[in-house]
C-alpha cells in the first residue's frame, strides 16, 4: 500500500512564515532569543521627538544608542546637540566612546542607590512622557508590524503627528493671545 504524503510535508518551510522573511517577532532568530521590539525615541528639552527607531528587543542599550546617534547624524541633528542624556543601561565606557566618536557629551543619568520606590529622573522623565504620548497612537497600540523597517516608519509617523499637534496648539495659543490684546 502506498503512503500518502501529507500536504504540510511537501510544503517548504521558510523562516518567518507568512510575513515573507525573518522578523523581530521570531524567537531565536538572527536577532537573539528575546522576542519583540524596542522603541527608541530621542527627544529635545521640550519633550518633542527628534528621532525614532525600532530595534529588536534583544539589542543591547550600547548598540541601541549607537544606532540612534547614527540616525540623528544622518538626519543632520547632531550638529545642534551639545548634551545627550542616556540611562544606566549604557555602560560608562560605551558612553565615553560614543561621545568621542560623535563629538558630543553623553551623560549617564539615573539613581545610584537601589531603592524599592519609584523616583522619576528629572530630565529623563521627558522621554517617558514622549513614549506615553506615542503609545496613544492607534497604530502603535499593538505591534502589528513584522519588520523593524515598517515599525520604524509607523513610529516616525506618530512622532510627526505629535510634533504637528504641538505646533498647531502653539499657533492657536498665539493667535488667541493676539486677538485678546
Amino acid at each position: 500500500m502506498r503512503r500518502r504524503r501529507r500536504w504540510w510535508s511537501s510544503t517548504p518551510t521558510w523562516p518567518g512564515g507568512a510575513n515573507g522573511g525573518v522578523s523581530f517577532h521570531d524567537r531565536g532568530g538572527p536577532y537573539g532569543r528575546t522576542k519583540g521590539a524596542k522603541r527608541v525615541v530621542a527627544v529635545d528639552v521640550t519633550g518633542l521627538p527628534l528621532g525614532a527607531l525600532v530595534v529588536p528587543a534583544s539589542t543591547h542599550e550600547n548598540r541601541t544608542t549607537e544606532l540612534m546617534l547614527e540616525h540623528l547624524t544622518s538626519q543632520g541633528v547632531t550638529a545642534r546637540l551639545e548634551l545627550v542624556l542616556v540611562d544606566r543601561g549604557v555602560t560608562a565606557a560605551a558612553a565615553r566612546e560614543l561621545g568621542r566618536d560623535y563629538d558630543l557629551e553623553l551623560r549617564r543619568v539615573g539613581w545610584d542607590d537601589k531603592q524599592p520606590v519609584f523616583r522619576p529622573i528629572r530630565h529623563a522623565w521627558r522621554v517617558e512622557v514622549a513614549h506615553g504620548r506615542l503609545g496613544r497612537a492607534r497604530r502603535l497600540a499593538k505591534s502589528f508590524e513584522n519588520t523593524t523597517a515598517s515599525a520604524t516608519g509607523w513610529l516616525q509617523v506618530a512622532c510627526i503627528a505629535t510634533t504637528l499637534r504641538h505646533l498647531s496648539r502653539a499657533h492657536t495659543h498665539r493667535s488667541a493671545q493676539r486677538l485678546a490684546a
Side-chain angles (χ1 to χ4, degrees), residues 38-149:
K38 186 186 295 187
R39 292 180 183 144
V40 186
V41 180
V43 300
D44 64 3
V45 294
T46 63
L48 291 176
L50 292 176
L53 291 174
V54 176
V55 295
S58 60
T59 308
H60 192 273
E61 295 295 321
N62 294 344
R63 179 68 180 139
T64 302
T65 304
E66 183 180 2
L67 289 172
M68 179 54 76
L69 288 173
E70 286 175 10
H71 175 68
L72 293 175
T73 301
S74 70
Q75 300 297 320
V77 177
T78 52
R80 298 179 296 166
L81 295 178
E82 296 175 13
L83 173 68
V84 177
L85 301 177
V86 295
D87 65 3
R88 298 277 176 174
V90 178
T91 62
R96 280 192 304 274
E97 184 179 333
L98 288 171
R100 273 194 308 269
D101 291 348
Y102 290 94
D103 195 28
L104 294 168
E105 180 185 352
L106 262 73
R107 188 178 303 161
R108 294 173 67 225
V109 295
W111 301 108
D112 292 329
D113 56 338
K114 305 251 189 240
Q115 290 191 0
V117 295
F118 173 75
R119 296 181 297 165
I121 302 167
R122 185 178 171 153
H123 296 294
W125 185 249
R126 295 193 179 157
V127 177
E128 303 301 328
V129 171
H131 276 287
R133 277 193 204 118
L134 292 172
R136 289 187 212 115
R138 195 177 170 114
R139 186 69 187 220
L140 302 179
K142 245 181 126 180
S143 182
F144 295 109
E145 307 308 316
N146 286 322
T147 63
T148 55

Side-chain angles (χ1 to χ4, degrees), residues 15-26 31 35-37 54 56 139 142-152 154:
N19 59 11
V22 177
S23 73
F24 54 83
H25 295 294
D26 295 334
Y31 302 119
K35 183 176 180 180
V54 176
R139 186 69 187 220
K142 245 181 126 180
S143 182
F144 295 109
E145 307 308 316
N146 286 322
T147 63
T148 55
S150 64
T152 298
W154 284 109

